[in-house]
Amino acid sequence: MERFAEWLASKDAMSDVRLAAYLKKVDSWLLPKLSGLAILQVLQLVEARRPRLLPALSLSSAWQSRLDQAMTYSDLCKPSALMRLATALEAERNDD
């Protein structure tokens, strides 16, 4: 992460078009090898320095989709939701 942060900082004078091309390479080569936390840190670094270049990182939209799914599953797996499900299943079983 430190090396990426240094690299990104060294590109401050570079045009958005050229840097976007480099970020697309980062997106296809580097991001798939990183953990979720490291990807988040990369996105935060890009957002802090050049926020309009975030779309160059297409994996970020894929991760957003995964995070949305995870939030849905998290809501479904909360103890209160599971208790309601168990109660409904038990009531249905007793009705038979």
Side-chain angles (χ1 to χ4, degrees), residues 6-7 9 13-14 18 21 29-30 32 35 41 48 51 53 65 67 72 77 79 81 83 85-88 90 93 96:
E6 290 170 7
W7 174 83
M14 185 178 285
R18 286 190 62 204
W29 179 78
L30 178 65
S35 69
Q41 290 172 340
L53 296 183
S65 170
L67 286 172
T72 300
C77 294
M83 185 59 79
L85 178 61
T87 302
E90 185 67 31
R93 187 176 71 159
D96 290 340

Side-chain angles (χ1 to χ4, degrees), residues 1 34-44 63:
M1 290 311 308
L34 298 178
S35 69
L37 178 60
I39 290 171
L40 180 61
Q41 290 172 340
V42 166
L43 295 174
Q44 288 171 334
W63 277 96

Side-chain angles (χ1 to χ4, degrees), residues 23-95:
L23 287 176
K24 285 182 188 283
K25 290 179 183 179
V26 167
D27 182 57
S28 64
W29 179 78
L30 178 65
L31 292 186
K33 298 175 182 177
L34 298 178
S35 69
L37 178 60
I39 290 171
L40 180 61
Q41 290 172 340
V42 166
L43 295 174
Q44 288 171 334
L45 285 170
V46 172
E47 182 183 31
R49 295 191 87 77
R50 305 286 272 277
R52 57 191 173 276
L53 296 183
L54 276 177
L57 298 169
S58 63
L59 190 60
S60 65
S61 62
W63 277 96
Q64 181 62 44
S65 170
R66 288 181 184 159
L67 286 172
D68 290 341
Q69 281 182 327
M71 286 175 50
T72 300
Y73 288 126
S74 173
D75 288 342
L76 291 174
C77 294
K78 287 182 179 174
S80 60
L82 291 175
M83 185 59 79
R84 286 194 312 269
L85 178 61
T87 302
L89 290 173
E90 185 67 31
E92 185 176 320
R93 187 176 71 159
N94 289 336
D95 287 342

